[in-house]
């Protein structure tokens, strides 16, 4: 069995919609690329409002509809002392990226999740679906699935696979 050699954290605002959706998708994509045992994927929020709570039920429903299981998710808040745990920190939008960069030690990079989608324009974000309906969560899933392939390729290059 291969040991985990690379760690990723995906960050959004409350850790109940976008980042846990991206966590579940990225885990599957990494497994599809043969990297599951080598890469650990987690998610967190910049705020702690939902800490300990489940994923938004709309996110769970959309994930389940597409074959992902988010039922074990428990929201967490990212804190500054976590940066040494991760090799890659991915923000879902520019506001969360700016917040994370403010927490990060000098020299630590926080990338936008969609920066790994070669067809996305520079600075492309994953929009927050919280105040809308299922269609926003479907859009998030599509954007995340597309970018996750690029994230997986980046990680494979980083760990020499």
């Amino acid at each position: 069995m291969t040991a985990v050699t690379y760690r990723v954290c995906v960050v959004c605002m409350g850790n109940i919609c976008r980042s846990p959706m991206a966590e579940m998708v990225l885990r599957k994509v990494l497994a599809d690329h043969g990297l599951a045992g080598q890469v650990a994927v987690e998610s967190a929020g910049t705020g702690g409002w939902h800490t300990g709570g489940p994923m938004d039920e709309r996110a769970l429903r959309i994930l389940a509809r597409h074959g992902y299981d988010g039922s074990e998710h428990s929201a967490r808040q990212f804190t500054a002392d976590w940066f040494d745990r991760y090799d890659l920190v991915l923000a879902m939008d520019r506001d969360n990226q700016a917040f994370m960069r403010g927490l990060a030690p000098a020299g630590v990079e926080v990338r936008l999740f969609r920066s790994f989608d070669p067809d996305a324009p520079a600075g492309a974000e994953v929009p927050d679906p919280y105040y809308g309906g299922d269609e926003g969560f479907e859009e998030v899933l599509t954007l995340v699935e597309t970018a996750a392939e690029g994230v997986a390729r980046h990680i494979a290059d980083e760990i020499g696979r």
Side-chain angles (χ1 to χ4, degrees), residues 75-148:
R76 306 177 317 150
Q77 182 179 9
F78 195 102
T79 60
D81 61 329
W82 289 14
F83 278 103
D84 62 352
R85 298 181 189 181
Y86 299 106
D87 300 292
L88 182 61
V89 177
L90 300 170
M92 301 308 278
D93 62 39
R94 290 186 296 275
D95 287 342
N96 287 300
Q97 181 185 36
F99 181 88
M100 294 299 291
R101 284 179 171 167
L103 284 182
V108 172
E109 183 179 18
V110 177
R111 303 244 338 237
L112 286 172
F113 195 87
R114 288 195 63 207
S115 69
F116 292 94
D117 177 352
D119 297 326
E125 301 175 300
V126 177
D128 189 349
Y130 186 76
Y131 293 103
D134 283 1
E135 65 283 346
F137 289 86
E138 288 282 358
E139 177 187 14
V140 166
L141 183 61
T142 298
L143 295 172
V144 163
E145 286 179 328
T146 302

Side-chain angles (χ1 to χ4, degrees), residues 32-91:
D32 292 348
H33 284 259
L35 298 170
Q38 295 175 21
V39 182
V41 181
E42 298 176 353
S43 64
T46 57
W49 315 280
H50 303 289
T51 299
M55 193 182 308
D56 184 286
E57 62 186 49
R58 296 164 296 174
L60 278 170
R61 185 171 54 249
I62 298 306
L63 284 172
R65 192 178 298 158
H66 293 272
Y68 301 98
D69 179 11
S71 63
E72 298 297 317
H73 176 74
S74 179
R76 306 177 317 150
Q77 182 179 9
F78 195 102
T79 60
D81 61 329
W82 289 14
F83 278 103
D84 62 352
R85 298 181 189 181
Y86 299 106
D87 300 292
L88 182 61
V89 177
L90 300 170

